[in-house]
Amino acid sequence: MRKTGRIISKMAWYIVMLFVAFIMLYPLIFSLLAGLNTRQEFGHMGALFPVPSVPQFQNLLFMFSMRGLRPLLNTFLRTGWYTVIVCMMAVLIGYVMARYKFKGKNFFLISILAVQVIPGVLTLIPGFIFMSQLPFVGGNNWRGYGGSGLINNPLSIFLPLGWGFLIWVFLFMQTMKSMPKDFEEAAQLDGCGFWRMIFQVIIPMNKPIIAVIAVNVALGVWNDWLIPFLYVTDMQHSTLPAYLGMLTSQLQQFGENDYPRIFAMSTVATIPPLIIFLFLQRHIIEGIASAGVKG
């Protein structure tokens, strides 16, 4: 009886987990099926699963056409650039904050924590004004007037705006504080300098926490549509999420209800973050576990 009860409870647990997994995957399933419909067929369909009569794979292939490929490449480049920059800044600043003593260190640490409580939406207007009034850019004079600055400039989506990366500096700093100095002292005895210490000792020993930073930054930048949508009006110079936002707004404005194409592009845009998370989820768990809370 005890064995039968265990089997029943285990089966019930599996059924509950399958139901939860289905709820989590349903939006992706719906998006994939809707993207395979024609415009007319999807417009007259109210089914829970919009299974197409004849799959339209050209909706998915639109992402790799001349109009869809450029925003996709911009998203890959922007995500890779931001991920590398934020990881390097987190490692360098976090290592210095954890191992070196200098004047203003406590003030800088308090500033890191204080900046995190400021909502990002409050920096949108000052950031837009700053980008539009940069001197000698986009037709502006030395006072920042007369032109548009970096607004609608492809470079605007690659400039690091905001202080959100500082939270990763604090996380890496806490990890370094919980790490013994024996390895660094041994490396210094062998004549290891600062940069060699960073690339041959610190980074290899902290791969899990760096993976956590890289995955979170990559997912955040990949899904970011607001900054490109705000600074770039040319779709071909924008990123994929902002491109989708522009297409959606145009559909609602002009009434061209080609929603299957939107669903197809959204499905393709979901695949890279999903692959990143699936392959690096083990490092995410290890990195979070290795991040000490030592003060």
Side-chain angles (χ1 to χ4, degrees), residues 48-70:
L48 187 63
F49 293 97
V51 180
S53 57
V54 179
Q56 305 294 319
F57 293 101
Q58 63 267 24
N59 290 333
L60 295 173
L61 295 178
F62 174 79
M63 182 69 73
F64 305 99
S65 65
M66 294 301 296
R67 291 176 58 190
L69 188 60
R70 179 69 181 274

mmCIF file with all atom_site columns, all heavy atoms in Angstrom, residues 48-70:
data_model
loop_
_atom_site.group_PDB
_atom_site.id
_atom_site.type_symbol
_atom_site.label_atom_id
_atom_site.label_alt_id
_atom_site.label_comp_id
_atom_site.label_asym_id
_atom_site.label_entity_id
_atom_site.label_seq_id
_atom_site.pdbx_PDB_ins_code
_atom_site.Cartn_x
_atom_site.Cartn_y
_atom_site.Cartn_z
_atom_site.occupancy
_atom_site.B_iso_or_equiv
_atom_site.pdbx_formal_charge
_atom_site.auth_seq_id
_atom_site.auth_comp_id
_atom_site.auth_asym_id
_atom_site.auth_atom_id
_atom_site.pdbx_PDB_model_num
ATOM 1   N N   . LEU A 1 48 ? -8.276 28.047 -29.614 1.00 0.00 ? 48 LEU A N   1
ATOM 2   C CA  . LEU A 1 48 ? -7.236 28.025 -28.592 1.00 0.00 ? 48 LEU A CA  1
ATOM 3   C C   . LEU A 1 48 ? -5.887 27.684 -29.209 1.00 0.00 ? 48 LEU A C   1
ATOM 4   O O   . LEU A 1 48 ? -4.853 28.209 -28.797 1.00 0.00 ? 48 LEU A O   1
ATOM 5   C CB  . LEU A 1 48 ? -7.597 27.007 -27.503 1.00 0.00 ? 48 LEU A CB  1
ATOM 6   C CG  . LEU A 1 48 ? -6.702 26.962 -26.261 1.00 0.00 ? 48 LEU A CG  1
ATOM 7   C CD1 . LEU A 1 48 ? -6.780 28.288 -25.510 1.00 0.00 ? 48 LEU A CD1 1
ATOM 8   C CD2 . LEU A 1 48 ? -7.095 25.807 -25.353 1.00 0.00 ? 48 LEU A CD2 1
ATOM 9   N N   . PHE A 1 49 ? -5.899 26.813 -30.214 1.00 0.00 ? 49 PHE A N   1
ATOM 10  C CA  . PHE A 1 49 ? -4.695 26.465 -30.964 1.00 0.00 ? 49 PHE A CA  1
ATOM 11  C C   . PHE A 1 49 ? -4.972 26.776 -32.442 1.00 0.00 ? 49 PHE A C   1
ATOM 12  O O   . PHE A 1 49 ? -5.668 26.015 -33.113 1.00 0.00 ? 49 PHE A O   1
ATOM 13  C CB  . PHE A 1 49 ? -4.342 24.984 -30.795 1.00 0.00 ? 49 PHE A CB  1
ATOM 14  C CG  . PHE A 1 49 ? -3.911 24.615 -29.414 1.00 0.00 ? 49 PHE A CG  1
ATOM 15  C CD1 . PHE A 1 49 ? -4.805 24.070 -28.508 1.00 0.00 ? 49 PHE A CD1 1
ATOM 16  C CD2 . PHE A 1 49 ? -2.600 24.832 -28.999 1.00 0.00 ? 49 PHE A CD2 1
ATOM 17  C CE1 . PHE A 1 49 ? -4.416 23.739 -27.230 1.00 0.00 ? 49 PHE A CE1 1
ATOM 18  C CE2 . PHE A 1 49 ? -2.200 24.506 -27.717 1.00 0.00 ? 49 PHE A CE2 1
ATOM 19  C CZ  . PHE A 1 49 ? -3.101 23.964 -26.830 1.00 0.00 ? 49 PHE A CZ  1
ATOM 20  N N   . PRO A 1 50 ? -4.442 27.881 -32.955 1.00 0.00 ? 50 PRO A N   1
ATOM 21  C CA  . PRO A 1 50 ? -4.714 28.268 -34.353 1.00 0.00 ? 50 PRO A CA  1
ATOM 22  C C   . PRO A 1 50 ? -3.913 27.422 -35.346 1.00 0.00 ? 50 PRO A C   1
ATOM 23  O O   . PRO A 1 50 ? -2.967 27.897 -35.983 1.00 0.00 ? 50 PRO A O   1
ATOM 24  C CB  . PRO A 1 50 ? -4.286 29.737 -34.385 1.00 0.00 ? 50 PRO A CB  1
ATOM 25  C CG  . PRO A 1 50 ? -3.223 29.836 -33.346 1.00 0.00 ? 50 PRO A CG  1
ATOM 26  C CD  . PRO A 1 50 ? -3.620 28.874 -32.255 1.00 0.00 ? 50 PRO A CD  1
ATOM 27  N N   . VAL A 1 51 ? -4.300 26.154 -35.482 1.00 0.00 ? 51 VAL A N   1
ATOM 28  C CA  . VAL A 1 51 ? -3.589 25.247 -36.389 1.00 0.00 ? 51 VAL A CA  1
ATOM 29  C C   . VAL A 1 51 ? -3.921 25.634 -37.826 1.00 0.00 ? 51 VAL A C   1
ATOM 30  O O   . VAL A 1 51 ? -5.102 25.673 -38.204 1.00 0.00 ? 51 VAL A O   1
ATOM 31  C CB  . VAL A 1 51 ? -3.985 23.782 -36.123 1.00 0.00 ? 51 VAL A CB  1
ATOM 32  C CG1 . VAL A 1 51 ? -3.244 22.848 -37.070 1.00 0.00 ? 51 VAL A CG1 1
ATOM 33  C CG2 . VAL A 1 51 ? -3.719 23.416 -34.675 1.00 0.00 ? 51 VAL A CG2 1
ATOM 34  N N   . PRO A 1 52 ? -2.912 25.925 -38.654 1.00 0.00 ? 52 PRO A N   1
ATOM 35  C CA  . PRO A 1 52 ? -3.195 26.349 -40.037 1.00 0.00 ? 52 PRO A CA  1
ATOM 36  C C   . PRO A 1 52 ? -3.584 25.172 -40.914 1.00 0.00 ? 52 PRO A C   1
ATOM 37  O O   . PRO A 1 52 ? -3.134 24.042 -40.704 1.00 0.00 ? 52 PRO A O   1
ATOM 38  C CB  . PRO A 1 52 ? -1.862 26.954 -40.484 1.00 0.00 ? 52 PRO A CB  1
ATOM 39  C CG  . PRO A 1 52 ? -0.837 26.214 -39.686 1.00 0.00 ? 52 PRO A CG  1
ATOM 40  C CD  . PRO A 1 52 ? -1.482 25.923 -38.348 1.00 0.00 ? 52 PRO A CD  1
ATOM 41  N N   . SER A 1 53 ? -4.425 25.441 -41.884 1.00 0.00 ? 53 SER A N   1
ATOM 42  C CA  . SER A 1 53 ? -4.771 24.395 -42.847 1.00 0.00 ? 53 SER A CA  1
ATOM 43  C C   . SER A 1 53 ? -3.592 24.087 -43.755 1.00 0.00 ? 53 SER A C   1
ATOM 44  O O   . SER A 1 53 ? -3.303 22.924 -44.053 1.00 0.00 ? 53 SER A O   1
ATOM 45  C CB  . SER A 1 53 ? -5.979 24.837 -43.672 1.00 0.00 ? 53 SER A CB  1
ATOM 46  O OG  . SER A 1 53 ? -5.710 26.082 -44.318 1.00 0.00 ? 53 SER A OG  1
ATOM 47  N N   . VAL A 1 54 ? -2.900 25.136 -44.192 1.00 0.00 ? 54 VAL A N   1
ATOM 48  C CA  . VAL A 1 54 ? -1.678 24.989 -44.982 1.00 0.00 ? 54 VAL A CA  1
ATOM 49  C C   . VAL A 1 54 ? -0.617 25.885 -44.338 1.00 0.00 ? 54 VAL A C   1
ATOM 50  O O   . VAL A 1 54 ? -0.751 27.112 -44.344 1.00 0.00 ? 54 VAL A O   1
ATOM 51  C CB  . VAL A 1 54 ? -1.880 25.394 -46.452 1.00 0.00 ? 54 VAL A CB  1
ATOM 52  C CG1 . VAL A 1 54 ? -0.572 25.252 -47.228 1.00 0.00 ? 54 VAL A CG1 1
ATOM 53  C CG2 . VAL A 1 54 ? -2.979 24.557 -47.094 1.00 0.00 ? 54 VAL A CG2 1
ATOM 54  N N   . PRO A 1 55 ? 0.434  25.309 -43.742 1.00 0.00 ? 55 PRO A N   1
ATOM 55  C CA  . PRO A 1 55 ? 1.456  26.131 -43.074 1.00 0.00 ? 55 PRO A CA  1
ATOM 56  C C   . PRO A 1 55 ? 2.134  27.101 -44.037 1.00 0.00 ? 55 PRO A C   1
ATOM 57  O O   . PRO A 1 55 ? 2.519  26.728 -45.144 1.00 0.00 ? 55 PRO A O   1
ATOM 58  C CB  . PRO A 1 55 ? 2.454  25.089 -42.537 1.00 0.00 ? 55 PRO A CB  1
ATOM 59  C CG  . PRO A 1 55 ? 1.676  23.817 -42.460 1.00 0.00 ? 55 PRO A CG  1
ATOM 60  C CD  . PRO A 1 55 ? 0.691  23.866 -43.584 1.00 0.00 ? 55 PRO A CD  1
ATOM 61  N N   . GLN A 1 56 ? 2.252  28.355 -43.582 1.00 0.00 ? 56 GLN A N   1
ATOM 62  C CA  . GLN A 1 56 ? 2.883  29.407 -44.383 1.00 0.00 ? 56 GLN A CA  1
ATOM 63  C C   . GLN A 1 56 ? 4.273  29.700 -43.810 1.00 0.00 ? 56 GLN A C   1
ATOM 64  O O   . GLN A 1 56 ? 4.440  30.559 -42.952 1.00 0.00 ? 56 GLN A O   1
ATOM 65  C CB  . GLN A 1 56 ? 2.011  30.665 -44.370 1.00 0.00 ? 56 GLN A CB  1
ATOM 66  C CG  . GLN A 1 56 ? 0.588  30.446 -44.817 1.00 0.00 ? 56 GLN A CG  1
ATOM 67  C CD  . GLN A 1 56 ? 0.504  30.049 -46.277 1.00 0.00 ? 56 GLN A CD  1
ATOM 68  O OE1 . GLN A 1 56 ? 1.217  30.600 -47.128 1.00 0.00 ? 56 GLN A OE1 1
ATOM 69  N NE2 . GLN A 1 56 ? -0.373 29.095 -46.585 1.00 0.00 ? 56 GLN A NE2 1
ATOM 70  N N   . PHE A 1 57 ? 5.266  28.966 -44.306 1.00 0.00 ? 57 PHE A N   1
ATOM 71  C CA  . PHE A 1 57 ? 6.619  29.122 -43.757 1.00 0.00 ? 57 PHE A CA  1
ATOM 72  C C   . PHE A 1 57 ? 7.289  30.417 -44.214 1.00 0.00 ? 57 PHE A C   1
ATOM 73  O O   . PHE A 1 57 ? 8.315  30.798 -43.674 1.00 0.00 ? 57 PHE A O   1
ATOM 74  C CB  . PHE A 1 57 ? 7.476  27.917 -44.153 1.00 0.00 ? 57 PHE A CB  1
ATOM 75  C CG  . PHE A 1 57 ? 7.041  26.627 -43.527 1.00 0.00 ? 57 PHE A CG  1
ATOM 76  C CD1 . PHE A 1 57 ? 6.290  25.709 -44.246 1.00 0.00 ? 57 PHE A CD1 1
ATOM 77  C CD2 . PHE A 1 57 ? 7.353  26.349 -42.204 1.00 0.00 ? 57 PHE A CD2 1
ATOM 78  C CE1 . PHE A 1 57 ? 5.876  24.514 -43.656 1.00 0.00 ? 57 PHE A CE1 1
ATOM 79  C CE2 . PHE A 1 57 ? 6.946  25.160 -41.609 1.00 0.00 ? 57 PHE A CE2 1
ATOM 80  C CZ  . PHE A 1 57 ? 6.202  24.249 -42.334 1.00 0.00 ? 57 PHE A CZ  1
ATOM 81  N N   . GLN A 1 58 ? 6.726  31.098 -45.187 1.00 0.00 ? 58 GLN A N   1
ATOM 82  C CA  . GLN A 1 58 ? 7.321  32.350 -45.623 1.00 0.00 ? 58 GLN A CA  1
ATOM 83  C C   . GLN A 1 58 ? 7.248  33.418 -44.536 1.00 0.00 ? 58 GLN A C   1
ATOM 84  O O   . GLN A 1 58 ? 8.049  34.354 -44.536 1.00 0.00 ? 58 GLN A O   1
ATOM 85  C CB  . GLN A 1 58 ? 6.667  32.864 -46.908 1.00 0.00 ? 58 GLN A CB  1
ATOM 86  C CG  . GLN A 1 58 ? 5.196  33.192 -46.782 1.00 0.00 ? 58 GLN A CG  1
ATOM 87  C CD  . GLN A 1 58 ? 4.333  32.011 -47.170 1.00 0.00 ? 58 GLN A CD  1
ATOM 88  O OE1 . GLN A 1 58 ? 4.774  30.868 -47.112 1.00 0.00 ? 58 GLN A OE1 1
ATOM 89  N NE2 . GLN A 1 58 ? 3.104  32.291 -47.585 1.00 0.00 ? 58 GLN A NE2 1
ATOM 90  N N   . ASN A 1 59 ? 6.279  33.259 -43.608 1.00 0.00 ? 59 ASN A N   1
ATOM 91  C CA  . ASN A 1 59 ? 6.229  34.204 -42.492 1.00 0.00 ? 59 ASN A CA  1
ATOM 92  C C   . ASN A 1 59 ? 7.470  34.074 -41.612 1.00 0.00 ? 59 ASN A C   1
ATOM 93  O O   . ASN A 1 59 ? 8.007  35.074 -41.125 1.00 0.00 ? 59 ASN A O   1
ATOM 94  C CB  . ASN A 1 59 ? 4.968  33.968 -41.658 1.00 0.00 ? 59 ASN A CB  1
ATOM 95  C CG  . ASN A 1 59 ? 3.710  34.365 -42.396 1.00 0.00 ? 59 ASN A CG  1
ATOM 96  O OD1 . ASN A 1 59 ? 3.731  35.223 -43.264 1.00 0.00 ? 59 ASN A OD1 1
ATOM 97  N ND2 . ASN A 1 59 ? 2.598  33.721 -42.057 1.00 0.00 ? 59 ASN A ND2 1
ATOM 98  N N   . LEU A 1 60 ? 7.910  32.837 -41.376 1.00 0.00 ? 60 LEU A N   1
ATOM 99  C CA  . LEU A 1 60 ? 9.123  32.619 -40.590 1.00 0.00 ? 60 LEU A CA  1
ATOM 100 C C   . LEU A 1 60 ? 10.359 33.027 -41.370 1.00 0.00 ? 60 LEU A C   1
ATOM 101 O O   . LEU A 1 60 ? 11.322 33.560 -40.792 1.00 0.00 ? 60 LEU A O   1
ATOM 102 C CB  . LEU A 1 60 ? 9.224  31.149 -40.174 1.00 0.00 ? 60 LEU A CB  1
ATOM 103 C CG  . LEU A 1 60 ? 8.138  30.623 -39.229 1.00 0.00 ? 60 LEU A CG  1
ATOM 104 C CD1 . LEU A 1 60 ? 8.277  29.123 -39.038 1.00 0.00 ? 60 LEU A CD1 1
ATOM 105 C CD2 . LEU A 1 60 ? 8.202  31.328 -37.881 1.00 0.00 ? 60 LEU A CD2 1
ATOM 106 N N   . LEU A 1 61 ? 10.350 32.798 -42.683 1.00 0.00 ? 61 LEU A N   1
ATOM 107 C CA  . LEU A 1 61 ? 11.520 33.124 -43.501 1.00 0.00 ? 61 LEU A CA  1
ATOM 108 C C   . LEU A 1 61 ? 11.654 34.623 -43.738 1.00 0.00 ? 61 LEU A C   1
ATOM 109 O O   . LEU A 1 61 ? 12.713 35.076 -44.186 1.00 0.00 ? 61 LEU A O   1
ATOM 110 C CB  . LEU A 1 61 ? 11.428 32.395 -44.848 1.00 0.00 ? 61 LEU A CB  1
ATOM 111 C CG  . LEU A 1 61 ? 11.489 30.860 -44.777 1.00 0.00 ? 61 LEU A CG  1
ATOM 112 C CD1 . LEU A 1 61 ? 11.332 30.258 -46.169 1.00 0.00 ? 61 LEU A CD1 1
ATOM 113 C CD2 . LEU A 1 61 ? 12.795 30.398 -44.148 1.00 0.00 ? 61 LEU A CD2 1
ATOM 114 N N   . PHE A 1 62 ? 10.590 35.386 -43.433 1.00 0.00 ? 62 PHE A N   1
ATOM 115 C CA  . PHE A 1 62 ? 10.672 36.838 -43.606 1.00 0.00 ? 62 PHE A CA  1
ATOM 116 C C   . PHE A 1 62 ? 11.772 37.437 -42.737 1.00 0.00 ? 62 PHE A C   1
ATOM 117 O O   . PHE A 1 62 ? 12.382 38.447 -43.101 1.00 0.00 ? 62 PHE A O   1
ATOM 118 C CB  . PHE A 1 62 ? 9.325  37.488 -43.272 1.00 0.00 ? 62 PHE A CB  1
ATOM 119 C CG  . PHE A 1 62 ? 9.369  38.990 -43.281 1.00 0.00 ? 62 PHE A CG  1
ATOM 120 C CD1 . PHE A 1 62 ? 9.322  39.689 -44.479 1.00 0.00 ? 62 PHE A CD1 1
ATOM 121 C CD2 . PHE A 1 62 ? 9.465  39.709 -42.093 1.00 0.00 ? 62 PHE A CD2 1
ATOM 122 C CE1 . PHE A 1 62 ? 9.379  41.078 -44.486 1.00 0.00 ? 62 PHE A CE1 1
ATOM 123 C CE2 . PHE A 1 62 ? 9.515  41.094 -42.096 1.00 0.00 ? 62 PHE A CE2 1
ATOM 124 C CZ  . PHE A 1 62 ? 9.468  41.786 -43.300 1.00 0.00 ? 62 PHE A CZ  1
ATOM 125 N N   . MET A 1 63 ? 12.041 36.801 -41.589 1.00 0.00 ? 63 MET A N   1
ATOM 126 C CA  . MET A 1 63 ? 13.088 37.295 -40.698 1.00 0.00 ? 63 MET A CA  1
ATOM 127 C C   . MET A 1 63 ? 14.452 37.305 -41.380 1.00 0.00 ? 63 MET A C   1
ATOM 128 O O   . MET A 1 63 ? 15.315 38.125 -41.060 1.00 0.00 ? 63 MET A O   1
ATOM 129 C CB  . MET A 1 63 ? 13.142 36.422 -39.444 1.00 0.00 ? 63 MET A CB  1
ATOM 130 C CG  . MET A 1 63 ? 14.155 36.863 -38.410 1.00 0.00 ? 63 MET A CG  1
ATOM 131 S SD  . MET A 1 63 ? 13.683 38.400 -37.644 1.00 0.00 ? 63 MET A SD  1
ATOM 132 C CE  . MET A 1 63 ? 12.342 37.846 -36.615 1.00 0.00 ? 63 MET A CE  1
ATOM 133 N N   . PHE A 1 64 ? 14.649 36.422 -42.327 1.00 0.00 ? 64 PHE A N   1
ATOM 134 C CA  . PHE A 1 64 ? 15.945 36.302 -42.995 1.00 0.00 ? 64 PHE A CA  1
ATOM 135 C C   . PHE A 1 64 ? 15.948 36.954 -44.371 1.00 0.00 ? 64 PHE A C   1
ATOM 136 O O   . PHE A 1 64 ? 16.848 36.716 -45.179 1.00 0.00 ? 64 PHE A O   1
ATOM 137 C CB  . PHE A 1 64 ? 16.321 34.816 -43.115 1.00 0.00 ? 64 PHE A CB  1
ATOM 138 C CG  . PHE A 1 64 ? 16.307 34.099 -41.795 1.00 0.00 ? 64 PHE A CG  1
ATOM 139 C CD1 . PHE A 1 64 ? 15.213 33.331 -41.420 1.00 0.00 ? 64 PHE A CD1 1
ATOM 140 C CD2 . PHE A 1 64 ? 17.359 34.227 -40.905 1.00 0.00 ? 64 PHE A CD2 1
ATOM 141 C CE1 . PHE A 1 64 ? 15.185 32.679 -40.195 1.00 0.00 ? 64 PHE A CE1 1
ATOM 142 C CE2 . PHE A 1 64 ? 17.342 33.595 -39.683 1.00 0.00 ? 64 PHE A CE2 1
ATOM 143 C CZ  . PHE A 1 64 ? 16.253 32.812 -39.335 1.00 0.00 ? 64 PHE A CZ  1
ATOM 144 N N   . SER A 1 65 ? 14.928 37.762 -44.646 1.00 0.00 ? 65 SER A N   1
ATOM 145 C CA  . SER A 1 65 ? 14.912 38.547 -45.876 1.00 0.00 ? 65 SER A CA  1
ATOM 146 C C   . SER A 1 65 ? 15.700 39.832 -45.666 1.00 0.00 ? 65 SER A C   1
ATOM 147 O O   . SER A 1 65 ? 16.221 40.107 -44.591 1.00 0.00 ? 65 SER A O   1
ATOM 148 C CB  . SER A 1 65 ? 13.465 38.855 -46.270 1.00 0.00 ? 65 SER A CB  1
ATOM 149 O OG  . SER A 1 65 ? 12.850 39.689 -45.296 1.00 0.00 ? 65 SER A OG  1
ATOM 150 N N   . MET A 1 66 ? 15.792 40.646 -46.689 1.00 0.00 ? 66 MET A N   1
ATOM 151 C CA  . MET A 1 66 ? 16.567 41.884 -46.604 1.00 0.00 ? 66 MET A CA  1
ATOM 152 C C   . MET A 1 66 ? 15.967 42.841 -45.568 1.00 0.00 ? 66 MET A C   1
ATOM 153 O O   . MET A 1 66 ? 16.694 43.560 -44.895 1.00 0.00 ? 66 MET A O   1
ATOM 154 C CB  . MET A 1 66 ? 16.624 42.556 -47.982 1.00 0.00 ? 66 MET A CB  1
ATOM 155 C CG  . MET A 1 66 ? 17.404 41.771 -49.024 1.00 0.00 ? 66 MET A CG  1
ATOM 156 S SD  . MET A 1 66 ? 19.134 41.504 -48.514 1.00 0.00 ? 66 MET A SD  1
ATOM 157 C CE  . MET A 1 66 ? 19.716 43.193 -48.477 1.00 0.00 ? 66 MET A CE  1
ATOM 158 N N   . ARG A 1 67 ? 14.645 42.842 -45.433 1.00 0.00 ? 67 ARG A N   1
ATOM 159 C CA  . ARG A 1 67 ? 13.999 43.763 -44.488 1.00 0.00 ? 67 ARG A CA  1
ATOM 160 C C   . ARG A 1 67 ? 14.123 43.290 -43.046 1.00 0.00 ? 67 ARG A C   1
ATOM 161 O O   . ARG A 1 67 ? 14.204 44.103 -42.128 1.00 0.00 ? 67 ARG A O   1
ATOM 162 C CB  . ARG A 1 67 ? 12.528 43.913 -44.846 1.00 0.00 ? 67 ARG A CB  1
ATOM 163 C CG  . ARG A 1 67 ? 12.270 44.670 -46.147 1.00 0.00 ? 67 ARG A CG  1
ATOM 164 C CD  . ARG A 1 67 ? 10.799 44.693 -46.460 1.00 0.00 ? 67 ARG A CD  1
ATOM 165 N NE  . ARG A 1 67 ? 10.045 45.300 -45.378 1.00 0.00 ? 67 ARG A NE  1
ATOM 166 C CZ  . ARG A 1 67 ? 8.716  45.266 -45.303 1.00 0.00 ? 67 ARG A CZ  1
ATOM 167 N NH1 . ARG A 1 67 ? 8.015  44.631 -46.234 1.00 0.00 ? 67 ARG A NH1 1
ATOM 168 N NH2 . ARG A 1 67 ? 8.095  45.832 -44.297 1.00 0.00 ? 67 ARG A NH2 1
ATOM 169 N N   . GLY A 1 68 ? 14.125 41.981 -42.826 1.00 0.00 ? 68 GLY A N   1
ATOM 170 C CA  . GLY A 1 68 ? 14.168 41.476 -41.462 1.00 0.00 ? 68 GLY A CA  1
ATOM 171 C C   . GLY A 1 68 ? 15.550 41.116 -40.962 1.00 0.00 ? 68 GLY A C   1
ATOM 172 O O   . GLY A 1 68 ? 15.773 41.038 -39.754 1.00 0.00 ? 68 GLY A O   1
ATOM 173 N N   . LEU A 1 69 ? 16.503 40.910 -41.888 1.00 0.00 ? 69 LEU A N   1
ATOM 174 C CA  . LEU A 1 69 ? 17.834 40.448 -41.477 1.00 0.00 ? 69 LEU A CA  1
ATOM 175 C C   . LEU A 1 69 ? 18.639 41.549 -40.798 1.00 0.00 ? 69 LEU A C   1
ATOM 176 O O   . LEU A 1 69 ? 19.376 41.283 -39.837 1.00 0.00 ? 69 LEU A O   1
ATOM 177 C CB  . LEU A 1 69 ? 18.591 39.914 -42.698 1.00 0.00 ? 69 LEU A CB  1
ATOM 178 C CG  . LEU A 1 69 ? 19.918 39.211 -42.421 1.00 0.00 ? 69 LEU A CG  1
ATOM 179 C CD1 . LEU A 1 69 ? 19.701 38.004 -41.520 1.00 0.00 ? 69 LEU A CD1 1
ATOM 180 C CD2 . LEU A 1 69 ? 20.586 38.786 -43.727 1.00 0.00 ? 69 LEU A CD2 1
ATOM 181 N N   . ARG A 1 70 ? 18.503 42.776 -41.260 1.00 0.00 ? 70 ARG A N   1
ATOM 182 C CA  . ARG A 1 70 ? 19.298 43.876 -40.686 1.00 0.00 ? 70 ARG A CA  1
ATOM 183 C C   . ARG A 1 70 ? 18.957 44.121 -39.219 1.00 0.00 ? 70 ARG A C   1
ATOM 184 O O   . ARG A 1 70 ? 19.866 44.208 -38.379 1.00 0.00 ? 70 ARG A O   1
ATOM 185 C CB  . ARG A 1 70 ? 19.071 45.145 -41.518 1.00 0.00 ? 70 ARG A CB  1
ATOM 186 C CG  . ARG A 1 70 ? 19.836 46.373 -41.013 1.00 0.00 ? 70 ARG A CG  1
ATOM 187 C CD  . ARG A 1 70 ? 21.329 46.223 -41.216 1.00 0.00 ? 70 ARG A CD  1
ATOM 188 N NE  . ARG A 1 70 ? 22.042 47.390 -40.718 1.00 0.00 ? 70 ARG A NE  1
ATOM 189 C CZ  . ARG A 1 70 ? 22.254 48.490 -41.449 1.00 0.00 ? 70 ARG A CZ  1
ATOM 190 N NH1 . ARG A 1 70 ? 21.825 48.549 -42.715 1.00 0.00 ? 70 ARG A NH1 1
ATOM 191 N NH2 . ARG A 1 70 ? 22.905 49.505 -40.927 1.00 0.00 ? 70 ARG A NH2 1
#
